[in-house]
Amino acid sequence: YQSNPFPVRLPSLEVVRFVACGSEHTLICMQSAVYSFGCGDGGRLGHGSDYSDRYKACEITALRGSHILSISAGTWHSACVVHVVPLDDSG
């Protein structure tokens, strides 16, 4: 964990769609993936049971292939709104 801002190299040259900043972590949504970095306490980075701090942007693999509508980061959470298509024609 770093208490001062520092530059982070992004894994690709894709367009950044959204950025969300919590008090100690950041989320970045690009065209093909969502990445997180910063303090991993409590699992706020979204990497399953791995609560370690990340100093480089790491893909949140659970969201791979999802159509992301919005992201949010707070003090102890990260949230992502995902578009889910209906399973059948009923709605």
Side-chain angles (χ1 to χ4, degrees):
Y1 164 70
Q2 298 276 336
S3 60
N4 297 317
F6 62 95
V8 173
R9 184 176 305 275
L10 298 178
S12 75
L13 296 176
E14 288 182 58
V15 172
V16 173
R17 296 179 57 223
F18 309 111
V19 175
C21 299
S23 60
E24 298 179 355
H25 71 294
T26 302
L27 303 175
I28 299 172
C29 180
M30 301 177 85
Q31 292 294 340
S32 65
V34 179
Y35 297 88
S36 65
F37 59 94
C39 177
D41 289 351
R44 70 182 100 181
L45 296 181
H47 299 289
S49 61
D50 181 356
Y51 295 179
S52 61
D53 296 350
R54 308 286 176 112
Y55 300 101
K56 295 181 181 178
C58 297
E59 181 182 0
I60 302 173
T61 57
L63 297 173
R64 187 178 289 157
S66 298
H67 180 72
I68 308 302
L69 300 176
S70 181
I71 58 175
S72 175
T75 301
W76 287 101
H77 79 277
S78 295
C80 185
V81 178
V82 178
H83 179 255
V84 179
V85 294
L87 296 176
D88 57 31
D89 293 332
S90 63

